[in-house]
PDB file of all heavy atoms in Angstrom:
ATOM      1  N   GLU A 838      -6.052 -42.128 155.593  1.00  0.00           N
ATOM      2  CA  GLU A 838      -4.658 -41.837 155.945  1.00  0.00           C
ATOM      3  C   GLU A 838      -3.770 -41.891 154.706  1.00  0.00           C
ATOM      4  O   GLU A 838      -2.922 -41.035 154.480  1.00  0.00           O
ATOM      5  CB  GLU A 838      -4.155 -42.824 157.013  1.00  0.00           C
ATOM      6  CG  GLU A 838      -4.823 -42.640 158.372  1.00  0.00           C
ATOM      7  CD  GLU A 838      -4.825 -41.183 158.860  1.00  0.00           C
ATOM      8  OE1 GLU A 838      -3.788 -40.498 158.700  1.00  0.00           O
ATOM      9  OE2 GLU A 838      -5.876 -40.714 159.361  1.00  0.00           O
ATOM     10  N   ARG A 839      -3.978 -42.949 153.932  1.00  0.00           N
ATOM     11  CA  ARG A 839      -3.200 -43.122 152.725  1.00  0.00           C
ATOM     12  C   ARG A 839      -3.398 -41.936 151.783  1.00  0.00           C
ATOM     13  O   ARG A 839      -2.439 -41.410 151.206  1.00  0.00           O
ATOM     14  CB  ARG A 839      -3.688 -44.389 152.043  1.00  0.00           C
ATOM     15  CG  ARG A 839      -2.574 -45.059 151.325  1.00  0.00           C
ATOM     16  CD  ARG A 839      -2.824 -46.501 151.208  1.00  0.00           C
ATOM     17  NE  ARG A 839      -2.010 -46.998 150.121  1.00  0.00           N
ATOM     18  CZ  ARG A 839      -2.088 -48.236 149.713  1.00  0.00           C
ATOM     19  NH1 ARG A 839      -2.924 -49.062 150.306  1.00  0.00           N
ATOM     20  NH2 ARG A 839      -1.318 -48.627 148.729  1.00  0.00           N
ATOM     21  N   PHE A 840      -4.650 -41.555 151.647  1.00  0.00           N
ATOM     22  CA  PHE A 840      -4.955 -40.432 150.767  1.00  0.00           C
ATOM     23  C   PHE A 840      -4.229 -39.159 151.221  1.00  0.00           C
ATOM     24  O   PHE A 840      -3.607 -38.449 150.423  1.00  0.00           O
ATOM     25  CB  PHE A 840      -6.463 -40.174 150.694  1.00  0.00           C
ATOM     26  CG  PHE A 840      -6.783 -38.822 150.124  1.00  0.00           C
ATOM     27  CD1 PHE A 840      -6.608 -38.576 148.770  1.00  0.00           C
ATOM     28  CD2 PHE A 840      -7.201 -37.773 150.940  1.00  0.00           C
ATOM     29  CE1 PHE A 840      -6.858 -37.315 148.239  1.00  0.00           C
ATOM     30  CE2 PHE A 840      -7.434 -36.518 150.424  1.00  0.00           C
ATOM     31  CZ  PHE A 840      -7.269 -36.282 149.064  1.00  0.00           C
ATOM     32  N   LYS A 841      -4.293 -38.891 152.538  1.00  0.00           N
ATOM     33  CA  LYS A 841      -3.670 -37.664 153.053  1.00  0.00           C
ATOM     34  C   LYS A 841      -2.183 -37.606 152.729  1.00  0.00           C
ATOM     35  O   LYS A 841      -1.657 -36.589 152.265  1.00  0.00           O
ATOM     36  CB  LYS A 841      -3.892 -37.570 154.574  1.00  0.00           C
ATOM     37  CG  LYS A 841      -5.238 -36.969 154.885  1.00  0.00           C
ATOM     38  CD  LYS A 841      -5.752 -37.085 156.294  1.00  0.00           C
ATOM     39  CE  LYS A 841      -4.790 -37.247 157.410  1.00  0.00           C
ATOM     40  NZ  LYS A 841      -5.513 -37.538 158.682  1.00  0.00           N
ATOM     41  N   ASN A 842      -1.525 -38.748 152.968  1.00  0.00           N
ATOM     42  CA  ASN A 842      -0.101 -38.829 152.666  1.00  0.00           C
ATOM     43  C   ASN A 842       0.208 -38.560 151.200  1.00  0.00           C
ATOM     44  O   ASN A 842       1.070 -37.746 150.871  1.00  0.00           O
ATOM     45  CB  ASN A 842       0.418 -40.239 153.003  1.00  0.00           C
ATOM     46  CG  ASN A 842       0.927 -40.280 154.416  1.00  0.00           C
ATOM     47  OD1 ASN A 842       1.474 -39.282 154.891  1.00  0.00           O
ATOM     48  ND2 ASN A 842       0.729 -41.395 155.094  1.00  0.00           N
ATOM     49  N   CYS A 843      -0.511 -39.309 150.362  1.00  0.00           N
ATOM     50  CA  CYS A 843      -0.290 -39.174 148.915  1.00  0.00           C
ATOM     51  C   CYS A 843      -0.534 -37.740 148.468  1.00  0.00           C
ATOM     52  O   CYS A 843       0.230 -37.171 147.693  1.00  0.00           O
ATOM     53  CB  CYS A 843      -1.237 -40.065 148.130  1.00  0.00           C
ATOM     54  SG  CYS A 843      -0.752 -41.761 148.127  1.00  0.00           S
ATOM     55  N   PHE A 844      -1.616 -37.169 148.972  1.00  0.00           N
ATOM     56  CA  PHE A 844      -2.018 -35.836 148.531  1.00  0.00           C
ATOM     57  C   PHE A 844      -0.938 -34.812 148.874  1.00  0.00           C
ATOM     58  O   PHE A 844      -0.511 -34.020 148.022  1.00  0.00           O
ATOM     59  CB  PHE A 844      -3.353 -35.463 149.174  1.00  0.00           C
ATOM     60  CG  PHE A 844      -3.839 -34.093 148.793  1.00  0.00           C
ATOM     61  CD1 PHE A 844      -4.387 -33.857 147.544  1.00  0.00           C
ATOM     62  CD2 PHE A 844      -3.759 -33.032 149.700  1.00  0.00           C
ATOM     63  CE1 PHE A 844      -4.843 -32.594 147.188  1.00  0.00           C
ATOM     64  CE2 PHE A 844      -4.205 -31.766 149.348  1.00  0.00           C
ATOM     65  CZ  PHE A 844      -4.750 -31.542 148.092  1.00  0.00           C
ATOM     66  N   ALA A 845      -0.474 -34.849 150.138  1.00  0.00           N
ATOM     67  CA  ALA A 845       0.519 -33.859 150.567  1.00  0.00           C
ATOM     68  C   ALA A 845       1.818 -34.015 149.767  1.00  0.00           C
ATOM     69  O   ALA A 845       2.404 -33.038 149.297  1.00  0.00           O
ATOM     70  CB  ALA A 845       0.775 -34.000 152.064  1.00  0.00           C
ATOM     71  N   LYS A 846       2.235 -35.271 149.611  1.00  0.00           N
ATOM     72  CA  LYS A 846       3.483 -35.521 148.877  1.00  0.00           C
ATOM     73  C   LYS A 846       3.371 -35.071 147.433  1.00  0.00           C
ATOM     74  O   LYS A 846       4.244 -34.410 146.890  1.00  0.00           O
ATOM     75  CB  LYS A 846       3.789 -37.023 148.919  1.00  0.00           C
ATOM     76  CG  LYS A 846       5.085 -37.320 149.670  1.00  0.00           C
ATOM     77  CD  LYS A 846       5.459 -38.773 149.535  1.00  0.00           C
ATOM     78  CE  LYS A 846       5.357 -39.481 150.871  1.00  0.00           C
ATOM     79  NZ  LYS A 846       4.877 -40.849 150.790  1.00  0.00           N
ATOM     80  N   ARG A 847       2.253 -35.471 146.827  1.00  0.00           N
ATOM     81  CA  ARG A 847       2.033 -35.148 145.414  1.00  0.00           C
ATOM     82  C   ARG A 847       2.005 -33.634 145.211  1.00  0.00           C
ATOM     83  O   ARG A 847       2.566 -33.108 144.249  1.00  0.00           O
ATOM     84  CB  ARG A 847       0.704 -35.773 144.967  1.00  0.00           C
ATOM     85  CG  ARG A 847       0.320 -35.494 143.537  1.00  0.00           C
ATOM     86  CD  ARG A 847       1.309 -36.125 142.595  1.00  0.00           C
ATOM     87  NE  ARG A 847       1.450 -37.522 142.909  1.00  0.00           N
ATOM     88  CZ  ARG A 847       0.789 -38.490 142.279  1.00  0.00           C
ATOM     89  NH1 ARG A 847       0.005 -38.190 141.283  1.00  0.00           N
ATOM     90  NH2 ARG A 847       0.935 -39.734 142.636  1.00  0.00           N
ATOM     91  N   LEU A 848       1.360 -32.931 146.118  1.00  0.00           N
ATOM     92  CA  LEU A 848       1.266 -31.492 145.966  1.00  0.00           C
ATOM     93  C   LEU A 848       2.653 -30.847 146.035  1.00  0.00           C
ATOM     94  O   LEU A 848       2.995 -29.991 145.211  1.00  0.00           O
ATOM     95  CB  LEU A 848       0.344 -30.903 147.031  1.00  0.00           C
ATOM     96  CG  LEU A 848       0.037 -29.420 146.817  1.00  0.00           C
ATOM     97  CD1 LEU A 848      -1.428 -29.147 147.043  1.00  0.00           C
ATOM     98  CD2 LEU A 848       0.886 -28.498 147.660  1.00  0.00           C
ATOM     99  N   GLU A 849       3.444 -31.294 146.975  1.00  0.00           N
ATOM    100  CA  GLU A 849       4.805 -30.736 147.077  1.00  0.00           C
ATOM    101  C   GLU A 849       5.576 -30.976 145.787  1.00  0.00           C
ATOM    102  O   GLU A 849       6.264 -30.100 145.271  1.00  0.00           O
ATOM    103  CB  GLU A 849       5.551 -31.380 148.257  1.00  0.00           C
ATOM    104  CG  GLU A 849       5.067 -30.856 149.591  1.00  0.00           C
ATOM    105  CD  GLU A 849       5.858 -31.436 150.764  1.00  0.00           C
ATOM    106  OE1 GLU A 849       6.852 -32.153 150.544  1.00  0.00           O
ATOM    107  OE2 GLU A 849       5.453 -31.161 151.909  1.00  0.00           O
TER     108      GLU A 849
END
Side-chain angles (χ1 to χ4, degrees):
E838 292 310 318
R839 212 154 159 185
F840 164 73
K841 276 166 25 188
N842 269 326
C843 283
F844 179 76
K846 244 188 247 144
R847 178 65 53 97
L848 188 136
E849 285 183 6

